[in-house]
Amino acid sequence: MRMKFDILTLFPNMFSSPLQESILGKAIEKGLIQIRTINIRDFTLDKHQVADDSPYGGGQGMVMKVEPIARAIESAKSQNPSAWAVYLTPQGKPFNQDLARRLSTRPHLILLCGRYEGVDERARELFIDEEISIGDYVLTGGELAAMVLIDAVSRFIPGVLGSVRSAEDDSFFNSLLEYPQYTRPSDFRGRGIPEVLLSGNHSAISLWRKREALRRTSLRRPDLLAKANLSDEDKKLLEEILQQIKKEQSGDGV
Ligand code: 4FV
C-alpha cells in the first residue's frame, strides 16, 4: 500500500528539506509515500501571476483567488478523480491520531495550503472534501500544518516505521499519553532509573508502563481517558491510580 500527497501551495520550496530527512525521507526512497508539490501560481493566467486580491467588503489582508486554486485542484484530480481534497485551516475539525489513521486509508490526498487571510470561500465550497485544523492558533500559512498531517498520516503506512513496527501497534497506548522512557546511562547526575526496567521481567515492565501511562494521562490529559478503550483490568488499575493521586494531592499520600 503506498500513499500519494499532492500539496497545493504558493511556497513549494518549504517542503524540500523537512520531508527529505529521516523516516519520511526513507519512506519516499522506498516508494511507500509519494509527495508532489504543486505551485498554485503556475495556474494563474495573467502575466504578473497574481494569486491573491483584496477582500470584497474591505478589511485587512488579502485573499487567495479562486481561479488558480480551481485549475490547480482540477489538474491534480485529473490524474485521480477520487483524490480526497483537504484544506488546512483553523476553522477545520481538530486533527488527532484517529483522524490521521482514517486519512491513511485514502490512497491519494490533495492538501490545499492557505496564505494571507485564507482562500476564497467558493474554492472551499466547490473543491474541498474536508477541512482540518492542527490547533487553535494562527499560522502564517497552511504549509507547516500540511507537513504535520503528512508526518502523522505516513506513520500508519505499513513499512514507514520500519519492517516490524506500525503506528497501529500499541493499541492500549493509542489514546493515552506515553509512559516515561529511559536509556543509558543508568545513572545521570545521581538520578537513576526505575528498578523494574532493569529487571528483565517483561510482565512487570508492561504493568509499570501501563500504570505510568494511566497516571500521566490522568494528571495531564484526563479528557483523553474518556476516549480510551480500557479493559476492566485497566479500569481497576486506573481506580487505584486515581486514589493514589488523590492521596498525594491531599498531602497524606506520603
Ligand atoms: C492552520 C491551523 C492555520 C490561517 C491563515 C494560514 C493559517 C493563513 N491551518 N491549522 N491552525 N492556517 O493557522 O491548519 O492563511
Side-chain angles (χ1 to χ4, degrees), residues 151-172:
D151 189 296
V153 170
S154 299
R155 294 178 76 256
F156 285 96
I157 304 300
V160 166
L161 290 184
S163 53
V164 286
R165 190 152 176 247
S166 104
E168 281 298 355
D169 281 2
D170 36 31
S171 61
F172 169 82

Side-chain angles (χ1 to χ4, degrees), residues 87-90 114-119 132-142 145:
Y87 176 44
L88 288 304
T89 168
R115 277 275 156 176
Y116 321 119
E117 301 311 308
V119 305
I132 294 176
S133 169
I134 65 163
D136 299 337
Y137 39 80
V138 181
L139 304 168
T140 58

Side-chain angles (χ1 to χ4, degrees), residues 181-187 193:
Q181 296 277 12
Y182 298 86
T183 188
R184 280 178 284 275
S186 60
D187 177 87
I193 64 166

Side-chain angles (χ1 to χ4, degrees), residues 94-230:
F95 187 54
N96 59 28
Q97 194 71 345
D98 292 343
L99 188 42
R101 179 187 297 105
R102 184 162 59 69
L103 290 171
S104 72
T105 63
R106 294 187 176 278
H108 186 180
L109 285 182
I110 296 173
L111 305 179
L112 174 59
C113 303
R115 277 275 156 176
Y116 321 119
E117 301 311 308
V119 305
D120 185 296
E121 189 66 15
R122 293 162 291 182
R124 302 160 77 160
E125 292 159 355
L126 293 168
F127 303 105
I128 297 301
D129 301 305
E130 192 163 19
E131 298 196 349
I132 294 176
S133 169
I134 65 163
D136 299 337
Y137 39 80
V138 181
L139 304 168
T140 58
E143 285 78 8
L144 294 176
M147 292 181 208
V148 166
L149 185 148
I150 291 169
D151 189 296
V153 170
S154 299
R155 294 178 76 256
F156 285 96
I157 304 300
V160 166
L161 290 184
S163 53
V164 286
R165 190 152 176 247
S166 104
E168 281 298 355
D169 281 2
D170 36 31
S171 61
F172 169 82
F173 294 107
N174 247 343
S175 42
L176 295 181
L177 299 183
E178 274 253 333
Y179 45 81
Q181 296 277 12
Y182 298 86
T183 188
R184 280 178 284 275
S186 60
D187 177 87
F188 177 72
R189 300 183 184 170
R191 286 172 175 263
I193 64 166
E195 279 308 306
V196 64
L197 298 179
L198 299 173
S199 69
N201 175 339
H202 295 296
S203 59
I205 290 169
S206 78
L207 177 58
W208 178 85
R209 286 175 168 170
K210 226 179 215 187
R211 291 180 63 80
E212 287 303 312
L214 287 168
R215 180 180 173 75
R216 183 158 283 187
T217 308
S218 319
L219 287 167
R220 300 182 186 191
R221 293 290 310 279
D223 58 300
L224 291 177
L225 287 175
K227 287 193 297 184
N229 51 2
L230 301 179

